[in-house]
Amino acid sequence: DAGVIQSPRHEVTEMGQEVTLRCKPISGHNSLFWYRQTMMRGLELLIYFNNNVPIDDSGMPEDRFSAKMPNASFSTLKIQPSEPRDSAVYFCASKLAGGPYEQYFGPGTRLTVT
Amino acid sequence: AQSVTQPDIHITVSEGASLELRCNYSYGATPYLFWYVQSPGQGLQLLLKYFSGDTLVQGIKGFEAEFKRSQSSFNLRKPSVHWSDAAEYFCAVGPGGDSSYKLIFGSGTRLLVRP
C-alpha cells in the first residue's frame, strides 16, 4: 500500500490567500484525522471523520478553517483567508474504524504564510 | 482530564548505549498506549502499541515498552541505540472502547545520538 498521501508537501503563500491541503487515506480505512503541529503547541487534532462524516471538529481553530471528505478516498483542509499564525505542518492520518487500531500518518504539508 | 507527560524534552546518548524514554499518562481507565517516532521532515511512524495482555510489548526497530499500571507509565526502551534512531519520539494515549479515536499526544522527546 502507498500509505497516506498528502499534497502539496510544501506550500508558501501570502497572508489573505486561500490554501487547500489534500489527503488520500489508506484504502479501506474509514476514519480520517487532520492534525496541526507547531513548536509552541505540539500536535493538535483539528477534525476527525468517520465514514466521510465529520464527527468531531472541536479542534478547528476558527471559521477560517474548513474540512471536507466528499468520498472515502479524498479529504481537503481549507484555510481562507490564511494568516501567518497558520504556519505549521499539517498531517493527515487514517485508521480502520471501530477499534483501537493505530493511526497511520501521512508525510505532512509544511505551510508557510508570509 | 486525560493527559500525557514526557518529562524529557531532549535526551543525548552515545551510539551503542541503552535508552529509556519516559512517558506518564493520566487516564481514568486502562488506556490504549502508543509510541510513535518522527524523523526530520517525516510523518509519525508507529513503533509499538499496548491494548491489553502482556505488559511488555515489542515493537519495530528493536524497541520495547512496558506498561506499569501502578506508576501510570509506558516507558520506551532500547538496549543498544543506533545513530539512525536520532529522531523525535511521541507517546500517545487513547481511550478504550468504541470511541477510541482520539489520541492525546505527549510533547515529544528529541533523541540525539553521539557517535
Side-chain angles (χ1 to χ4, degrees):
Chain A
D1 200 313
V4 176
I5 298 173
Q6 291 186 248
S7 64
R9 292 294 309 276
H10 302 272
E11 177 79 40
V12 180
T13 191
E14 293 183 347
M15 183 174 63
Q17 296 298 306
E18 176 182 301
V19 175
T20 299
L21 310 181
R22 297 172 176 80
C23 174
K24 176 179 169 57
I26 292 173
S27 177
H29 285 191
N30 45 6
S31 295
L32 184 139
F33 309 81
W34 282 101
Y35 290 89
R36 179 173 66 177
Q37 186 179 40
T38 61
M39 290 291 293
M40 292 298 295
R41 301 174 67 88
L43 201 60
E44 304 173 277
L45 176 65
L46 300 177
I47 188 169
Y48 153 66
F49 292 86
N50 190 36
N51 291 324
N52 313 336
V53 176
I55 303 299
D56 182 353
D57 64 356
S58 59
M60 295 287 263
E62 48 197 276
D63 292 345
R64 297 185 297 106
F65 285 69
S66 63
K68 294 182 179 180
M69 192 165 185
N71 57 62
S73 58
F74 184 65
S75 178
T76 60
L77 178 67
K78 183 180 294 186
I79 308 173
Q80 180 184 22
S82 57
E83 296 183 3
R85 61 194 168 116
D86 301 331
S87 298
V89 180
Y90 291 81
F91 289 104
C92 177
S94 70
K95 76 183 257 302
L96 292 168
Y101 305 108
E102 58 269 27
Q103 296 181 17
Y104 291 82
F105 283 75
T109 295
R110 181 174 294 278
L111 174 64
T112 303
V113 183
T114 61
Chain B
Q2 302 145 19
S3 66
V4 178
T5 302
Q6 294 181 247
D8 303 306
I9 298 174
H10 295 100
I11 282 186
T12 301
V13 300
S14 297
E15 191 168 16
S18 63
L19 170 71
E20 183 168 28
L21 302 182
R22 295 183 289 166
C23 172
N24 292 96
Y25 66 90
S26 173
Y27 188 70
T30 300
Y32 297 137
L33 294 159
F34 305 82
W35 273 100
Y36 283 86
V37 61
Q38 184 180 27
S39 298
Q42 302 296 316
L44 280 70
Q45 180 186 20
L46 181 73
L47 283 176
L48 47 76
K49 60 191 177 188
Y50 172 78
F51 296 154
S52 64
D54 192 347
T55 56
L56 183 64
V57 293
Q58 303 297 320
I60 62 171
K61 304 185 181 186
F63 285 91
E64 66 177 27
E66 186 170 13
F67 170 57
K68 293 186 177 180
R69 184 190 305 274
S70 60
Q71 299 177 18
S72 296
S73 69
F74 189 56
N75 293 349
L76 182 71
R77 301 193 295 248
K78 186 169 185 179
S80 178
V81 169
H82 188 263
W83 64 267
S84 60
D85 293 325
E88 187 148 22
Y89 292 80
F90 293 91
C91 181
V93 59
D98 292 338
S99 62
S100 59
Y101 69 91
K102 195 164 186 173
L103 294 184
I104 308 297
F105 284 86
S107 54
T109 298
R110 184 168 297 278
L111 173 65
L112 304 174
V113 180
R114 281 192 298 256

